[in-house]
Amino acid sequence: MRSDMIKKGLERTPHRALIKGTGVPQSELEKPFIGVATSFTDLIPGHVGMRDLERFIEKGVHTGGGYSFFFGIPGVCDGIAMGHKGMHYSLPTRELIADMVESIAEAHRLDGLVLLTNCDKITPGMLMAAARLDIPCIVVTAGPMLSGRGDGGRKYSFVTDTFEAMARYKAGVIDAKELQVCEDNACPGMGSCQGLFTANTMAILTETLGMSLPRCGTALAVSALKRRIAFASGEKIVELVKNNVTPRQIMTRAAFENAIRVDLALGGSSNTVLHLLAIARDAGVDLPLETFDILAKETPQLASMNPAGEHFMEDLDAAGGVAGVLKQLGDKIKDNPTVLGLSTLQIASSIANVDETVIRPVANPVKKEGGIAVLFGSIAPKGAVVKQSGVSAPMMRFEGTARCFNAEELAMAAIMEGRIKSGDVVVIRYEGPKGGPGMREMLAPTAAIMGMGLGDSVALITDGRFSGGTRGPCIGHISPEAADGGPIALVEDGDRILLDIPNRKLDLLVDEATLSARRAKWQAPEPKIKGGWLARYAKVVTSAHTGAITE
C-alpha cells in the first residue's frame, strides 16, 4: 500500500508517532488509509448537509476494513458570488481544489480517496485531482435540493424565482409581495439548486463517467438513499484500493463520450464543456472541443429540464436517473467500467422501467439535436459555446446590432435601465479566463434579459461564461478572448453580428480591411486585478477552448 511509506520500517518511527498522535491505534496501522476530502461549509446550501454524509462515509470505510482521515476543501457558491468581485474567484478555485487534493494525497501517501462534493467548481476540481493522482477514488455528490412549493402546488426554483423574478419586478410584471414570495420559496433547504444547473449536471456526469455509484448523481440531499450511497461509497473505496482500480481505468475516452452524450440528452450546463476538457487533460485523454458538436448532431435531447424546461431533479431521479438516460440512449452509449464493478451497459440494462414523460425515447425526442452547440466564425475562430436547448426557435438564427461593454456590470446597468432594445446583440468582453480574470458567469445579465421580456429579440455574446441556469440566445466561451486580442475585442457599437446556431456560425459582418485597421490600433487593457493570487492565475490560464486550465 502507498501508506506503507509512512507507517512501515524502523525509519518510519517518527511518522508512526505522529499518526498515533492523532489517535490512531496500533491495530489500525495495517489497514488502508482512506482520505475523505470534504467540502463541507456553512456557506453553501448544497454543502450544509455534508456533516451527516461524512458520518456515513466514515462508517462505510471502517465497515469495509479501512481507516478514514478527513481533510477540508474550500467551496464557493456561484449564486452568492454572482455579480460582484467574488465571481472572479469561482472558476480559479477549481485549480486550487485539484492542487489541494493532490497535495494532501501525495504528502500523506493516502491509499485511496472519497471525494465529497456538490457544487459547481468543486466537483470538477476533485475529478481533476482523481485523474491526475490515478489512485483509487470514488466521488460522493451531496445531492440536489427539493423544489420550493407555493400556493396551488406551484414549484419554485432558484434562478427563475430570484434572478429572473428580480427583472420581472423591475419591468413591473410582478409586485414586491410576489418578489418576496419568490425569494422565500426559491431555496427551501439543503442541496444543490433544483434544476439542471452546473452542480447537478456535473453530478450526473460524474456518475456517467463511472466515478460514483448509481443514483448518486440524482438522489436528493434530504433522502435516506443519499445516506446509503455515502455508506456504500465508503465501503467501496476500500475494495477499490485492494483491487487497485484507479480513475484512469474508468475515465477513458469512451467514458467521456458517454458523459457528453448524457449532457446533450439532458440539455445540461454549458460549463461542463470547460470542465470535461480539463478533466480529460488530467486523465490523459485527447478530447478536442469539436467532439461536443460532433456528438450533438447525432444525440437528441430527451428531457426538458429546468431552467429551460419543465422538470426538476426530483423528477429526473424518480424517472430513472442516469441509468434511465443511459437506457434510453441505447446503442449510442459505449460500454465502460465503473467504480461499482458493473459496466455502463450492465447498469443501463438493470433499469426495468423509465418514465418516458420525463426521459423520452430516442424516437420521440424533445429536440433532434443535443443541448449544447459549438459555434465558429469571424468572432470566434477557436470556438464558442451555446446551450441551444434553452434557445427559442425564432432566435436560433438572429442578426442584430452590437452594443459593446467591457465589463459585466456595465452591461447589467444598461439592461436594467432599459437601454437595451429589441434587435440588439449585447457584447460583454474582457471577462475571459485571463481578462476577467476568472471567466465570470453572466447569470445576472442573461436572467435580466429574460425577465425584461427580451429573450426572443436580444442576443448576448461574451468571452466569459454562463451559469447552468442561463437560458436564451447567450453565447459564451468565445475564443480567443478579448484580453488576448481576439476578434471580440474589435467589435464596435453599431456593427452587425450574425448568430446562426443551426449552421454553427457566429460572424461579425464587418469587412477585413476595417478589422485590420482596428487591429492595428488595439492595445491590451490594464489588468482588472493586479494583486493577490488572481493576478498570478491570469498569467498562466489558457483559453476557454482548452478548458481554461493553468499551465
Side-chain angles (χ1 to χ4, degrees):
M1 292 185 292
R2 280 166 47 98
S3 59
D4 288 347
M5 298 175 69
I6 60 169
K7 62 189 185 184
K8 285 197 172 181
L10 174 65
E11 70 280 7
R12 300 309 183 203
T13 300
H15 303 68
R16 289 192 297 273
L18 289 167
I19 293 168
K20 290 177 180 178
T22 70
V24 178
Q26 177 72 36
S27 61
E28 302 301 291
L29 292 180
E30 295 300 318
K31 294 181 178 179
F33 279 11
I34 305 299
V36 183
T38 173
S39 53
F40 165 78
T41 173
D42 287 325
L43 290 167
I44 309 175
H47 294 239
V48 294
M50 287 184 177
R51 282 287 181 251
D52 185 53
L53 296 180
E54 289 172 2
R55 292 175 56 235
F56 282 85
I57 291 170
E58 184 175 38
K59 290 177 182 179
V61 169
H62 287 269
T63 299
Y67 195 92
S68 61
F69 298 87
F70 286 78
F71 61 96
I73 294 297
V76 167
C77 176
D78 279 23
I80 296 173
M82 195 77 63
H84 56 84
K85 184 179 179 180
M87 182 47 71
H88 289 286
Y89 288 87
S90 176
L91 181 61
T93 62
R94 184 188 71 179
E95 317 308 307
L96 283 184
I97 289 162
D99 292 348
M100 291 175 70
V101 173
E102 175 193 353
S103 299
I104 299 301
E106 294 287 42
H108 292 266
R109 309 311 296 161
L110 298 172
D111 297 304
L113 295 170
V114 180
L115 304 170
L116 179 57
T117 174
N118 212 21
C119 289
D120 295 16
K121 311 309 170 293
I122 307 160
T123 301
M126 289 193 176
L127 284 168
M128 289 166 67
R132 191 183 301 170
L133 287 161
D134 200 33
I135 64 172
C137 294
I138 192 167
V139 180
V140 178
T141 48
M145 183 188 295
L146 284 164
S147 59
R149 297 300 171 99
D151 293 341
R154 175 185 167 181
K155 290 184 177 182
Y156 288 82
S157 73
F158 171 60
V159 172
T160 305
D161 295 302
T162 56
F163 282 94
E164 292 185 19
M166 176 178 62
R168 290 198 301 275
Y169 171 76
K170 183 74 174 179
V173 177
I174 61 175
D175 60 18
K177 181 179 179 181
E178 176 61 21
L179 183 64
Q180 187 66 49
V181 170
C182 289
E183 179 181 321
D184 292 343
N185 287 279
C187 296
M190 69 177 68
S192 48
C193 302
Q194 307 98 326
L196 204 59
F197 312 136
T198 303
N200 290 326
T201 308
M202 282 307 307
I204 286 168
L205 300 193
T206 301
E207 182 180 333
T208 307
L209 284 168
M211 289 300 296
S212 58
L213 296 178
R215 294 285 296 282
C216 189
T218 56
L220 295 171
V222 296
S223 65
L225 174 59
K226 183 61 75 174
R227 283 179 157 192
R228 294 195 294 270
I229 290 170
F231 179 88
S233 298
E235 272 193 309
K236 179 61 69 171
I237 188 59
V238 182
E239 179 186 323
L240 295 174
V241 168
K242 290 177 179 177
N243 294 330
N244 195 31
V245 178
T246 65
R248 291 195 181 194
Q249 297 169 30
I250 293 168
M251 289 196 283
T252 65
R253 169 72 189 216
F256 281 100
E257 289 190 14
N258 288 343
I260 293 170
R261 286 191 188 274
V262 168
D263 193 1
L264 294 167
L266 292 174
S269 167
S270 59
N271 281 316
T272 58
V273 177
L274 287 175
H275 301 324
L276 289 178
L277 291 174
I279 298 162
R281 177 180 181 268
D282 275 320
V285 173
D286 182 30
L287 191 70
L289 174 62
E290 290 82 356
T291 308
F292 290 82
D293 204 52
I294 292 168
L295 297 179
K297 291 176 180 177
E298 58 186 53
T299 306
Q301 184 185 337
L302 304 182
S304 174
M305 297 292 296
N306 178 276
E310 58 181 307
H311 297 299
F312 291 76
M313 285 296 294
E314 60 206 52
D315 304 316
L316 180 64
D317 185 56
V322 172
V325 181
L326 295 174
K327 186 179 183 70
Q328 295 294 70
L329 285 171
D331 61 8
K332 294 183 183 297
I333 293 298
K334 295 182 177 179
D335 210 14
N336 200 73
T338 73
V339 291
L340 178 63
L342 298 178
S343 72
T344 49
L345 295 186
Q346 289 173 319
I347 291 170
S349 66
S350 70
I351 298 294
N353 297 299
V354 176
D355 182 351
E356 294 191 344
T357 64
V358 178
I359 312 170
R360 294 193 190 182
V362 168
N364 181 32
V366 175
K367 293 183 179 179
K368 292 182 179 180
E369 290 189 356
I372 291 173
V374 179
L375 314 180
F376 293 89
S378 57
I379 295 181
K382 292 188 177 180
V385 175
V386 60
K387 185 176 178 178
Q388 65 173 342
S389 60
V391 181
S392 65
M395 293 299 290
M396 291 293 282
R397 191 183 188 281
F398 176 75
E399 184 178 323
T401 303
R403 297 291 305 278
C404 300
F405 304 92
N406 290 348
E408 176 191 359
E409 292 85 353
L410 299 175
M412 185 65 180
I415 296 165
M416 296 301 286
E417 292 167 10
R419 290 186 277 125
I420 300 302
K421 307 296 184 183
S422 294
D424 285 344
V425 177
V426 178
V427 180
I428 305 180
R429 58 194 175 193
Y430 298 104
E431 293 286 7
K434 179 185 295 185
M439 203 179 181
R440 291 194 289 174
E441 285 188 348
M442 302 291 164
L443 177 56
T446 61
I449 287 171
M450 297 301 294
M452 299 287 275
L454 297 172
D456 284 338
S457 60
V458 169
L460 187 152
I461 70 171
T462 180
D463 53 7
R465 59 189 178 88
F466 297 117
S467 162
T470 292
R471 60 193 179 105
C474 303
I475 294 84
H477 305 201
I478 289 178
S479 300
E481 63 174 293
D484 276 336
I488 190 173
L490 308 179
V491 183
E492 295 185 358
D493 285 346
D495 288 348
R496 300 292 288 176
I497 292 173
L498 174 65
L499 166 64
D500 187 349
I501 296 174
N503 292 308
R504 305 300 197 254
K505 298 294 291 182
L506 181 62
D507 284 319
L508 178 61
L509 305 181
V510 174
D511 64 85
E512 185 54 41
T514 301
L515 289 179
S516 295
R518 292 179 186 177
R519 191 174 292 109
K521 296 178 182 178
W522 179 82
Q523 292 183 333
E526 285 290 310
K528 292 180 181 177
I529 295 178
K530 298 180 181 179
W533 75 273
L534 284 183
R536 300 195 303 272
Y537 172 85
K539 294 177 182 178
V540 296
V541 68
T542 66
S543 170
H545 76 280
T546 62
I549 57 174
T550 54
E551 290 184 341

